[in-house]
């Protein structure tokens, strides 16, 4: 077991990508190489009553892996082996530090893919994806991380090893502890291994980009696709603030085509026919649209989405919010976010996994600015209020972490929150694992 207590090592793991800056540094960081390292760390932590913050790749956006004085960080990024890919069963067995895109690429060698593809897939770990129940672009059709997890190997707060779930596609023996741990943000157990479901790579993919005169029309078109009972594998929405940033970064002229774009992909043997059906649905809303079955051209159409965040990051410090609404409420949600931006004077760009009703209002502030106070925080709180008022949720995929914990009672209510805290106490009676986060 490697324990590091020098300031540089502690500073490197003190927070994630949320922009949250803890006032103090954690006491040390354990860089685990084996399950035994994790067992030893948790036994020690239990004996000394020292809180442990488990860390994957540190790309989280809710300050879930932020750590402070009095805590130690358990860094699992070094446990990055793909233990097995079993093509005949369409499953993979992995260590928690494997990067999401690496698993997808390895599955690809067998004609398979790993469906959950957060936009951070090149830099986020499977353990972190499991702990946050990460979503992504393809989740519109294939579901979120929970839908891909068959079984987990866990180490509990006191160092005991437990396996949950199964190696089979079906199975209902006992309570579903696997699903409970997925999305528990490092507060119930440490995920030290996972058995994951893979899927056959689609035979064909067709892509469409549609441009709109305003954002509300684009959101209404996205809802119309759902209403028409079509199920694209990707359905992403990008607003004008983002398109302007992309144009400035890439020298493109996407903004000239409209104030919002929808990028849609359909896959499988009927991909072309499905994308034609999508085109028919969006045409009455759109100012123009283009579709292709050519992979190179498809990447060009996806560029507005893929380049959006890095382009916004060139214009200031960005804070990526994350709310979800029922899919029929998407137009009301984007209209509300525009109104909040106008009222508070805070610059908000919106990118959405529109197929899931999952919006990322991105608050852009001057360099060195913060989102946890002043008008940016007022704007963020107004967005949370809006999502709840529309029958939505405070977080679609990034988690509660530290940043939304004060809001959680508003969504869950007293009894549900109290039940959740009782479950935490069963797994972790001494409160060793990631205290003060999630619930
Ligand atoms: C540019 C960018 C784009 C993003 N796009 C998306 C997106 O499309 N969809 C999405 O869902 N998220 C997205 N995210 C957020 C982030 O990448 C995800 O939340 C991801 O799942 C975090 O993985 P990680 O390995 O970085 O975890 P970390 O940030 O290290 O940790 C996240 C949480 O998981 C816990 N944890 C980590 N590993 C384990 C483990 N092995 N056992 C128990 N608990 C653990 C931590 O304690 C913490 O609470 C994006 C982030 C960035 C920076």
């Amino acid at each position: 077991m490697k324990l590091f207590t020098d300031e540089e090592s502690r500073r490197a793991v003190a927070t994630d990508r949320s922009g949250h800056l803890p006032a103090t540094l954690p006491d040390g960081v354990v860089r685990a190489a084996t399950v035994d390292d994790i067992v030893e760390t948790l036994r020690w932590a239990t004996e000394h009553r020292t809180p442990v913050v488990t860390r994957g790749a540190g790309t989280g956006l809710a300050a879930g892996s932020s750590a402070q004085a009095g805590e130690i960080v358990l860094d699992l990024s070094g446990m990055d082996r793909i233990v097995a890919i079993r093509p005949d069963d369409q499953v993979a067995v992995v260590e928690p530090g494997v990067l999401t895109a690496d698993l997808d690429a390895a599955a690809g060698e067998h004609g398979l893919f790993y469906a959950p593809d957060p936009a951070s897939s090149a830099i986020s770990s499977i353990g972190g994806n499991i702990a946050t129940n990460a979503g992504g672009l393809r989740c519109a059709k294939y579901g979120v991380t929970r839908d891909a997890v068959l079984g987990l190997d866990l180490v509990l707060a006191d160092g005991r090893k437990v396996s949950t779930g199964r190696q089979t596609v079906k199975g209902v023996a006992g309570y579903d502890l696997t699903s409970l741990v997925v999305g528990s943000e490092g507060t119930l157990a440490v995920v030290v291994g996972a058995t994951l479901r893979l899927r056959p790579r689609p035979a064909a993919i067709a892509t469409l980009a549609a441009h709109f005169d305003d954002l509300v029309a684009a959101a209404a078109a996205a809802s119309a696709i759902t209403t028409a009972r079509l199920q694209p594998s990707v359905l992403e929405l990008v607003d004008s603030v983002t398109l302007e940033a992309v144009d400035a970064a890439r020298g493109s002229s996407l903004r000239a085509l409209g104030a919002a774009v929808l990028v849609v992909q359909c896959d499988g043997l009927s991909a072309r026919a499905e994308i034609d059906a999508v085109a028919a649905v969006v045409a009455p809303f759109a100012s123009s649209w283009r579709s292709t079955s050519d992979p190179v051209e498809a990447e060009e159409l996806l560029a507005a989405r893929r380049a959006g965040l890095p382009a916004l990051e060139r214009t200031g410090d960005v804070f990526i919010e994350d709310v979800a609404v029922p899919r029929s409420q998407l137009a009301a949600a984007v209209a509300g976010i525009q109104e909040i931006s106008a009222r508070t004077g805070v610059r908000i760009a919106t990118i959405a996994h529109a197929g899931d009703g999952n919006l990322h209002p991105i608050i852009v502030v001057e360099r060195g600015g913060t989102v946890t106070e002043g008008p940016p925080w007022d704007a963020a709180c107004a967005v949370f209020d809006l999502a709840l008022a529309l029958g939505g949720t405070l977080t679609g995929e990034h988690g509660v972490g530290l940043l939304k914990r004060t809001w959680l009672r508003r969504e869950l209510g007293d009894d549900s929150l109290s039940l959740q805290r009782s479950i935490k106490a069963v797994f972790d009676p001494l409160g060793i694992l990631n205290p003060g986060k999630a619930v």
Side-chain angles (χ1 to χ4, degrees):
M1 183 176 82
K2 292 185 195 145
L3 170 67
F4 297 82
T5 54
D6 61 288
E7 186 177 332
E8 197 185 338
S9 298
R10 291 183 294 138
R11 197 169 290 287
V13 296
T15 194
D16 57 8
R17 301 284 192 100
S18 64
H20 171 75
L21 290 176
T24 54
L25 295 180
D27 293 354
V29 48
V30 174
R31 294 188 191 140
T34 64
V35 173
D36 287 345
D37 289 346
I38 297 166
V39 169
E40 194 184 337
T41 303
L42 289 170
R43 280 190 186 146
W44 180 90
T46 293
E47 192 184 328
H48 294 87
R49 306 289 193 266
T50 301
V52 174
V53 178
T54 306
R55 183 181 180 87
T59 70
L61 293 170
S65 59
S66 284
Q68 58 187 347
E71 299 176 337
I72 57 169
V73 172
L74 179 57
D75 178 354
L76 303 189
S77 59
M79 291 179 63
D80 59 356
R81 269 185 332 127
I82 296 175
V83 179
I85 290 191
R86 300 193 191 119
D88 291 349
D89 291 323
Q90 300 184 6
V91 299
V93 180
V94 301
E95 292 185 337
V98 169
L99 296 181
T100 320
D102 289 351
L103 173 60
D104 188 41
E109 290 170 20
H110 302 275
L112 300 167
F113 76 114
Y114 178 63
D117 60 339
S120 53
S121 64
I123 52 173
S124 69
S125 76
I126 293 288
N129 292 171
I130 290 170
T132 57
N133 190 18
L137 277 66
R138 292 192 290 236
C139 296
K141 180 170 179 180
Y142 295 103
V144 291
T145 299
R146 181 173 284 122
D147 299 300
V149 179
L150 297 175
L152 293 174
D153 297 320
L154 306 172
V155 177
L156 302 180
D158 58 10
R160 275 178 297 156
K161 292 193 268 187
V162 171
S163 291
T164 69
R166 53 195 195 271
Q167 305 277 317
T168 53
V169 172
K170 290 176 81 175
V172 292
Y175 290 142
D176 188 353
L177 297 182
T178 308
S179 291
L180 182 60
V181 169
V182 176
S184 64
E185 301 188 53
T187 63
L188 296 184
V190 178
V191 175
V192 301
T195 301
L196 303 169
R197 180 178 190 162
L198 304 175
R199 292 173 182 274
R201 282 213 169 248
I205 296 178
T207 307
L208 172 141
H211 298 267
F212 301 83
D213 291 336
D214 67 81
L215 182 60
V216 174
S223 296
I225 293 171
T226 309
T227 308
R229 310 287 182 261
L230 296 166
Q231 189 160 40
S233 50
V234 172
L235 176 46
E236 296 285 309
L237 173 67
V238 182
D239 80 340
S240 63
V241 181
T242 311
L243 292 177
E244 280 161 18
V246 170
D247 285 345
R250 293 169 51 98
S252 53
S253 44
L254 293 166
R255 177 67 182 84
L257 294 172
V261 63
L262 267 187
V263 186
V264 190
Q265 283 194 326
C266 294
D267 66 8
L269 287 173
S270 57
R272 187 69 245 178
E274 285 181 40
I275 213 78
D276 288 345
V278 168
V281 171
V282 302
F285 300 87
S287 51
S288 66
W289 59 269
R290 201 170 109 198
S291 69
T292 182
S293 299
D294 175 59
V296 177
E297 211 185 325
E299 277 310 304
E300 219 181 280
L301 298 184
L302 273 165
R305 170 62 177 92
R306 292 207 197 286
L309 189 60
L312 288 165
E313 282 172 337
R314 288 164 50 112
T315 69
D317 283 353
V318 303
F319 296 92
I320 309 171
E321 272 312 334
D322 166 48
V323 292
V325 296
R327 288 176 288 183
S328 59
Q329 299 301 313
L330 209 55
V334 296
I337 292 166
Q338 286 181 324
E339 186 275 322
I340 290 164
S341 176
R343 174 161 46 86
T344 57
V346 173
R347 193 164 160 239
I348 308 181
T350 297
I351 297 177
H353 303 303
D356 298 325
N358 184 189
L359 299 122
H360 294 313
I362 301 168
I363 297 179
V364 188
V365 300
E366 283 177 13
R367 296 256 177 249
T370 175
V371 78
T372 49
E373 57 195 38
W377 182 241
D378 294 342
C381 291
V383 169
F384 304 156
D385 261 330
L386 172 71
L388 294 180
L390 292 172
T393 174
L394 295 167
T395 172
E397 58 184 17
H398 294 166
V400 170
L402 202 56
L403 299 185
K404 290 185 179 166
R405 199 160 171 260
T406 53
W407 273 81
L408 192 61
R409 190 179 295 277
R410 285 273 299 277
E411 178 168 334
L412 298 185
D414 290 343
D415 290 342
S416 175
L417 186 57
S418 148
L419 191 58
Q420 301 223 3
R421 289 185 176 158
S422 305
I423 291 170
K424 157 83 174 161
V426 169
F427 275 78
D428 179 20
L430 299 175
I432 300 288
L433 292 174
N434 217 0
K437 313 277 177 53
V439 297

